Structures are given as structure tokens and as C-alpha cells.
Amino acid sequence: MSNIHVTTTVNGDVMEFLCEPDESLMDALRDRLSLTGVKEGCGSGDCGACSVTVDGRLVCSCLVLAAEAEGCKITTVEGLAKGDKLHPLQQKFLEHAALQCGICTPGFLVASKALLDRNPNPTEHEIRYWLAGNLCRCTGYDKIVRAVVDAAAELRRTA
Amino acid sequence: MRFAAPATVEEAVRLLGAEPGHAKVLAGGSDLIVQMKTGRVEPDLIVDIKRISAMRTITAEAGGFRIGACVPCLAMEENASLKATWPGLVEAARLIGSTQIQGRATLVGNLCNGSPAADGVPALVAANAKVRIVGAKGTREVDVLDVPTGPGKNSLARDEIVESIHLPARSAHSGDCYLRHTPRTEMDIAVVSAGVFVTVDGAGTITHARVSLGAVAPKVLLVEACSKAIVGTKLDAKALGALAAAASAACKPIDDKRGTVEYRTKVAGVLARRAAETAYARAKGAK
Ligand code: FES
Ligand code: FES
């Protein structure tokens, strides 16, 4: 297999890497660009732990080939905080104890941000449906949903 | 394995035709990449068609809509005009997997993948959608119904690509609906599904109907007997009963862990009836 050269913008920075044709974007982000906030839960599109946005759209990076990312703009959980200042979603996840082991958390944060970018005032129902593709085996989801509701309110206040 | 991302459909067709090994078209990838991971398919060449700009848009055409093969399911809902005209189809697209999957997966992929339980397909069949297929020998338009041929199979030649779907112009007093039954409300595969499209006249009598069923046969079914049961009626209890009976009679389901033959057959009638009620209300102007 010959390697493919890919240029992308990740969290605002232009990045280049070489990847194999069948390599997933998830693996390239983790292993080539050391963005290990992208987690692998299942590798088959079922758990959402690998969630990133590609050109503004929420996707499972395990179901995108790295080669498909040529020229695309990617955001991972590493792009959420501004320097030392956590994104309101991250802050509210901490305050509400919306994580235990934490492996699902980056995916929930990226997916929740994609929701709030689209709908700043979602109902609990809308949050639960939007996040149905993010699985958590620890928290029982309630704290996550409360954190998202609270972060949305905070973002509306400061907008 | 090699990866190609051509900028034109002609180049994509040429690449597929020239490949001596196994070539696969990549649109959203939510089926293909899983199949590659599990080893079910081992392509020598992947042709990513998302760089073909004409295949990424939804456009008005001939009073209807043309939806490019690479339009992700979520983008259908973002098109206000498409959503207002074909709410049942848009709802079907929003049932395919998670939000993440809908950001990538396409209706054309859903069709070509050939799953008997595909959520997008009964809604497309009810809508009487056509697909445009481009190949080395030229372009052809076929009914959606003729694309899948059985589980995991479709009627495309190896150098052919579905370029787009066309939804026809529909008269003002029309409505569609798609319903599926799953044990969970999200992230699940249809045990049975039904798509209904109806047109009514000024008095509320159904003048035209198309009823389709999913997951009850090797491929999607268009059930003429269901249309007959409701055309000429105002969808009264008798018509609904006849519709449900016709839907159940058309089923040839399998027995598996998700549903028995008896269960699927019964639920097909229930879903056809409920979908018809919603499609009818929409045709009469309900939102
Ligand atoms: S690792 Fe991608 S969805 Fe689970
Ligand atoms: S916190 Fe452990 S899986 Fe969600």
C-alpha cells in the first residue's frame, strides 16, 4: 500500500500527515497527530466516542477514511478550550459530575457543541435524541443531559 | 488498496471500469467502512465521489427536487422546501443511525447498500422517486424500486454510479409519511416499516396512493393492493381495515431474533394504517 499525503486544518491549524488508504480519520488523528482526545470505543459507528466535526458536520471519525479529510476543516475536543479557559460545556460537565471514567466524554462534548451551535436552546428531549449515538456506560446520562442544559443557558447568557 | 477522489462523474466511471480487481464507490461510508473493517468486503480500489460538486447539492428540478448522491441525510432536513414538501422522506432520512451517521450517510448509499430494512427506501418508493445512473455506456433513469435486487445486492453494473435521486413534482393536496417499528426509539434497525404517499381531491377523497413496505421481504415492496384499498375513499375505518389486510397479505418476512413472521406480518398492517392516516392528514393540509 502506498501512503497518501493529506493536508487538513485541525482546530484551526494546518496539519499534514501521511496515511494508509484504508486508515480511519480516528487513527490518523490519534496516532499521527497525537490528538488522543479522540477516543475509540467501538470502531464501528455505534458509540460516538470518536466524534469530531468535519467541515462543521458532526461525524464518527472511525467511519471516515483519513484520505477523505484532504482539504477539510476538522474540530476535535482539543479545539474546545481557549488556552487555559475551558469551554462552558467542559466546565459544566465538571460541575455536574457528568463523567466518571471519561472515555465517552470527548465525544459527548464535541456532539453537544455541534448541537448548541445549531440550536442554542434545545429541549431535554432534543438533547437526548441528538446524543443518542453517544454511549456512556458509567453515568446513566442524566448528569450529562443536565450539564448540556446548563451550558446552553450559560452560553445564551454570555452570547 | 488504493484510494481515488475524482472531481467528475465521468472520471469516477472510468476508474471503476478500468479497475481489474474489486472497486467500491464511497459516499458517506457508514456501511462501506464498517464492511471493510469486518472483512466482509476487501476492495482493491475505493472511489470517493464526494469531490464531485454536482453530487453534493439539492436543487429544484421539473417541479420536484434532485438530490445528489453525496448529500448527507441531515442536509435534507436543513432544506426547508424539501422538508415542507416531503416530510415523510425527510423523517425517514433522520431515522438512519445516529446524528453522527446522518451527518455522513446518504440516501443513495442507503438504497445501493441493499438492506431490506433500509429506512430511506420505502419512503423513496412511496414518493415514486427515480434515480439517475451514470455509466460507461451513458446515463439511464430507473425507478428506485429497481435498484435493490435482494439483501446486499443492487442492479448496477460494475462501472455504474447512481448520480442523484429525483423526486417528482407532486400536486398540492398530497402528503407522505414513513413509519418504522423498532424496539428502541433510536439507533436501531427496522423490524417492519411502511411508506405511504397519497393525493386527495377537494372533497378529501383519495385519488392516488402508493404504499410500500420494508423489512418484510428480500427487498422493499410496492403494494398495489394497498393503493386499491384506499383510492376512492376518505380513509374511513373500512378502507383502513382493507389497507391493513392488504399490507399483511403482501408480507413474505423472515423469522429472526428481532421479529417472528407472525409479528412482522401483523405489524406491517398496523404501520401501513398509521402511516396512511398521517399522509392523509398532511395531504389535507395538516402540518
Ligand atoms: S469508535 Fe467511532 S463510533 Fe465508536
Ligand atoms: S463516563 Fe465512563 S463511559 Fe461515560
Side-chain angles (χ1 to χ4, degrees), chain A residues 84-95:
Chain A
D84 284 345
K85 193 171 163 18
L86 293 179
H87 186 278
L89 275 164
Q90 292 170 309
Q91 189 59 44
K92 293 300 178 191
F93 268 59
L94 283 176
E95 288 171 16

Side-chain angles (χ1 to χ4, degrees), chain A residues 50-72:
Chain A
C50 65
S51 296
V52 302
T53 62
V54 175
D55 290 338
R57 253 194 215 293
L58 180 66
V59 302
C60 295
S61 60
C62 69
L63 293 191
V64 177
L65 296 178
E68 292 180 71
E70 172 63 36
C72 294

Side-chain angles (χ1 to χ4, degrees), chain A residues 26 39-51 59-63 133, chain B residues 37 98 100-101:
Chain A
M26 174 185 75
K39 300 299 180 198
E40 175 169 18
C42 63
S44 55
D46 296 298
C47 77
C50 65
S51 296
V59 302
C60 295
S61 60
C62 69
L63 293 191
Chain B
K37 284 202 179 170
S98 62
Q100 284 87 337
I101 298 295

Side-chain angles (χ1 to χ4, degrees), chain A residues 91-99 143-144 146-148 150-151:
Chain A
Q91 189 59 44
K92 293 300 178 191
F93 268 59
L94 283 176
E95 288 171 16
H96 287 267
L99 62 151
K143 291 174 173 186
I144 292 173
R146 270 182 248 149
V148 176
D150 201 5

Side-chain angles (χ1 to χ4, degrees), chain A residues 1-76:
Chain A
M1 284 204 258
S2 61
N3 279 348
I4 298 175
H5 179 253
V6 177
T7 306
T8 61
T9 304
V10 184
N11 301 327
D13 296 325
V14 176
M15 294 195 182
E16 294 179 52
F17 58 84
L18 287 172
C19 66
E20 295 188 2
D22 61 354
E23 185 170 328
S24 71
L25 178 62
M26 174 185 75
D27 285 340
L29 290 168
R30 287 181 54 82
D31 301 339
R32 312 233 179 231
L33 301 179
S34 302
L35 293 167
T36 51
V38 180
K39 300 299 180 198
E40 175 169 18
C42 63
S44 55
D46 296 298
C47 77
C50 65
S51 296
V52 302
T53 62
V54 175
D55 290 338
R57 253 194 215 293
L58 180 66
V59 302
C60 295
S61 60
C62 69
L63 293 191
V64 177
L65 296 178
E68 292 180 71
E70 172 63 36
C72 294
K73 286 193 173 51
I74 295 166
T75 310
T76 69

